[in-house]
């Protein structure tokens, strides 16, 4: 399955969706989250962390760009590339990307050098009030298999 579309009606439902994704994630996977401010990228990432068994609450890393969360089945490498817009130099964020963990990148369009050929794109659309549409697109076989598990 290359594309999957799922809707949620609340923050809690998005947490539950993220949890399924985190439980199904494999080492070295990369998820790219796109969507407007307030769409739910960080909320989905909180669920992913929970699904990995991470107890710490994931917060928006906008001011730190990158945060690592340990203590779960896989290390979660959470990157928010928003403030990298227009910067082209190598800032070393690749360091944790092939280290056996799971990388989740918000605003990956501002860090194109970090995007591997194979990845999962999650595009979130605000529908109305608390309703959100999640469009998952798999690039690579292991991500297609992940979507089979999620469906
Ligand atoms: N269905 C939903 N899924 C995710 N977040 C929702 C939903 N409904 C309401 N919200 C709210 O929308 C906001 C999403 O914020 P956040 O996840 O930080 O967005 P982003 O990281 O995309 O900027 C939160 O305040 C959350 O409580
Ligand atoms: Mg965010």
């Amino acid at each position: 399955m290359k594309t999957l579309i799922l809707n949620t009606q609340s923050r809690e439902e998005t947490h539950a969706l993220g949890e399924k994704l985190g439980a199904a994630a494999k080492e070295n996977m990369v998820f790219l989250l796109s969507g407007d401010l307030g769409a739910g990228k960080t909320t989905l990432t909180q669920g992913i962390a929970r699904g990995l068994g991470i107890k710490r609450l994931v917060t928006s890393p906008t001011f730190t760009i990158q945060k690592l969360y340990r203590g779960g089945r896989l290390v979660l490498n959470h990157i928010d590339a928003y403030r990298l817009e227009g910067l082209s130099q190598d800032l070393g964020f690749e360091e944790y990307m092939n280290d056996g963990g799971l990388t989740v990148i918000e605003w990956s369009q501002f860090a194109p050098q970090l995007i591997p050929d194979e990845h999962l794109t999650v595009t979130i659309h605000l529908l109305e009030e608390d309703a959100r549409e999640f469009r998952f697109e798999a690039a690579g076989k292991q991500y297609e298999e992940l979507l089979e598990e999620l469906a």
Side-chain angles (χ1 to χ4, degrees), residues 28-32 115-120 138-143:
N28 294 327
M29 280 190 160
V30 177
F31 298 166
L32 311 177
I115 303 176
D117 288 347
E118 300 206 347
H119 57 258
L120 179 74
K141 193 164 185 300
Q142 61 168 344
Y143 295 96

Side-chain angles (χ1 to χ4, degrees), residues 74-88:
L74 304 174
V75 173
L76 174 63
N77 175 26
H78 186 202
I79 296 174
D80 187 324
Y82 190 72
R83 295 198 319 148
L84 297 180
E85 183 177 12
L87 297 177
S88 54

Side-chain angles (χ1 to χ4, degrees), residues 31-36 39-41 105-109 121-125 133-135:
F31 298 166
L32 311 177
L33 310 188
S34 78
D36 292 340
K41 301 181 293 298
I105 310 178
E106 300 188 33
W107 300 103
S108 61
Q109 66 267 39
T121 303
V122 186
T123 306
I124 310 172
H125 286 112
E133 181 195 86
F134 292 80
R135 184 187 174 88

Side-chain angles (χ1 to χ4, degrees), residues 35-106:
D36 292 340
L37 202 67
K41 301 181 293 298
T42 300
T43 303
L44 185 73
T45 309
Q46 290 170 345
I48 291 171
R50 233 193 254 175
L52 288 171
I54 292 165
K55 300 280 186 297
R56 235 171 98 209
L57 180 69
V58 170
T59 54
S60 177
T62 299
F63 298 102
T64 52
I65 301 175
Q66 180 182 49
K67 273 192 201 170
L68 292 179
Y69 295 86
R70 302 180 198 277
R73 183 174 61 83
L74 304 174
V75 173
L76 174 63
N77 175 26
H78 186 202
I79 296 174
D80 187 324
Y82 190 72
R83 295 198 319 148
L84 297 180
E85 183 177 12
L87 297 177
S88 54
Q89 68 260 53
D90 181 354
L91 294 167
F93 293 112
E94 303 80 0
E95 193 181 338
Y96 296 101
M97 288 187 67
N98 248 303
D99 221 16
L102 168 67
T103 298
V104 174
I105 310 178
E106 300 188 33

